[in-house]
Amino acid sequence: MNCYQCPDCGYIYNEAKGDAHEGYPSGMKFAGLPEEFVCPDCAVRYKEDFVCIETPQ
Amino acid sequence: MKVYTFDSPDKGQITYRDSKRHLWLASMVYPLVAVSGIGLYMVTGSEWSFLAPLVFIYGVSTLFDAIFGVDTSNPPEELVSQLEEDRYYRWLTYLTIPIHYIVLLTLAIFVGTQSVSMLSVLALAITGGIYSGLGLVTAHELGHKKSRLERNLAKIVQAVPAYGHFCLEHNRGHHRDVATPEDPASSRMGESIYQFVRREIPGAFKRAWKIENDRLERNGKNVWSMDNEILQSYALTAVVQLALIASFGWIMVLFLAVHNFWAWWQLTSANYIEHYGLLRKKEASGRYERCQPYHSWNANHVFSNILLFHLERHSDHHAHPVRRYQCLRDFPELPSLPTGYFGMFVAAYIPPLWYRIMDKRLMALPHVAGNLDNVNVQPGKLDALLARYPRQAEVLDTSFHQTEAAAA
């Protein structure tokens, strides 16, 4: 399970947790998010802008 | 005054004092100007007093923008995180929320209990709408933040102008689509504010509901569920406004209808001037280029900025939407409005004046370079605008023909 981070605002999509508010269940892969996905916090970075990072502590 | 310090390995110790720290109290108390007309009426007995808040917002603030001028100070980048974490600034936004409710209730109770002329009721409703429109500035500052608390507070304050879909539409719709022909909240060159409002209000409403419907669908919920964040805010509006109607009768229907519409019109006015004619280029991938600082109009006038939580430093806001108001920066060479928002609203309400001020500014921007291909143009206006601003090749063509004609 990986984490993907918005390079502008720092929002982290953690595949293990998903994002319940946005309707992405735990375990949902980042690759499985819709292509029109934008950062849920700042909305100014697209899916392809996100950076794969280590699981946060 | 609080001093922020940072020990930089390269630059040594960096210190910063926010010269506007206490001035930000103005953004908090400013909506109270709306009830100043009632205070003046109590003293003078003249119904002309109700015009005082309107004179202040359009006249005095524009005059003070001219007198106090612009403010180019910026916090050093190294200290932005400390400034962000200083809770004083966010408390000011929290405390602005009850002020918006006090303003609406004071005006409504006055209209409901005092006998004044219908024209005065109208003036009070318009005043209420203008200052409740500022509630959307407060909602804007809160709704862009990541904390659940601030997002919930945004829902509470955007209920005052009955615009519960604002934050969703603005954050997830406008910021994504800004400065593109697809954005109903970005105005086009040659589009008057009266044409824009007919595209903006319904377009923003539809986009917000689509965004929320999609989110609820992913959660396996119906759009009419209690989890619908738009409905949560509308419900609060319904409670407040129906209670006012129940208490004071039909005069409240008129008062609230005008109040609500005028608050929305304030948002329309801001949207109209913030991105007029600016256009992001479409890339080969089909995506639009990332929003750049030159895709927003700015006003760096200190007076109107301290009334608006720095909203007029709009380029930095679009570059970093979650950044708090006290940290927004000014940059040289940004598209700039000649005065603050309130003065520019008045210009926008007189389309020939607006075009006269703005079209040449727009065409002179370095990235536009006089070329209408780089501008978000109102469909149907292209030919007329091309006649005034011909493409460079056409200018060369014309001058070539003129030279030929002269030679012949």
Side-chain angles (χ1 to χ4, degrees), chain B residues 3-16 76-82:
Chain B
V3 181
Y4 304 89
T5 58
F6 178 77
D7 289 313
S8 161
D10 320 321
K11 302 177 191 168
Q13 190 177 67
I14 300 169
T15 59
Y16 178 68
E77 193 59 37
E78 293 85 348
L79 289 167
V80 162
S81 60
Q82 284 184 38

Side-chain angles (χ1 to χ4, degrees), chain A residues 8-11 20-24 35 38 40-46 48-49, chain B residues 146 148 151 171-172 175-176 215 218-219 229 280 287-288 290 318-322:
Chain A
D8 183 64
C9 76
Y11 165 87
H21 180 261
E22 289 301 313
Y24 305 126
E35 282 315 300
V38 291
D41 278 347
C42 72
V44 295
R45 291 295 178 270
Y46 296 119
E48 62 266 27
D49 297 323
Chain B
K146 291 166 181 257
R148 183 73 21 217
R151 290 187 184 184
N171 296 7
R172 303 290 291 272
H175 271 267
R176 183 192 62 201
R215 183 184 76 84
R218 288 196 299 269
N219 273 304
E229 296 185 358
R280 285 155 66 195
R287 298 271 204 213
Y288 282 100
R290 199 171 277 172
H318 269 273
H320 306 292
V322 302

Side-chain angles (χ1 to χ4, degrees), chain B residues 306-323:
Chain B
I306 61 157
L307 301 181
L308 293 170
F309 288 122
H310 245 168
L311 181 66
E312 301 176 338
R313 285 191 168 180
H314 211 61
S315 288
D316 203 24
H317 167 62
H318 269 273
H320 306 292
V322 302
R323 189 172 274 228

Side-chain angles (χ1 to χ4, degrees), chain B residues 2 11 42 44 51 57 93 128 148 164 170 190 198 210-211 214 218 263 267-268 278 323 327 337 351 364 377 381:
Chain B
K2 185 163 180 174
K11 302 177 191 168
M42 300 287 191
T44 64
L51 296 179
I57 197 165
T93 58
R148 183 73 21 217
H170 175 86
R198 284 177 271 154
K210 181 177 185 324
I211 291 166
D214 290 352
R218 288 196 299 269
L267 174 65
T268 300
L278 300 171
R323 189 172 274 228
C327 301
L337 300 167
V377 175
K381 289 286 175 75

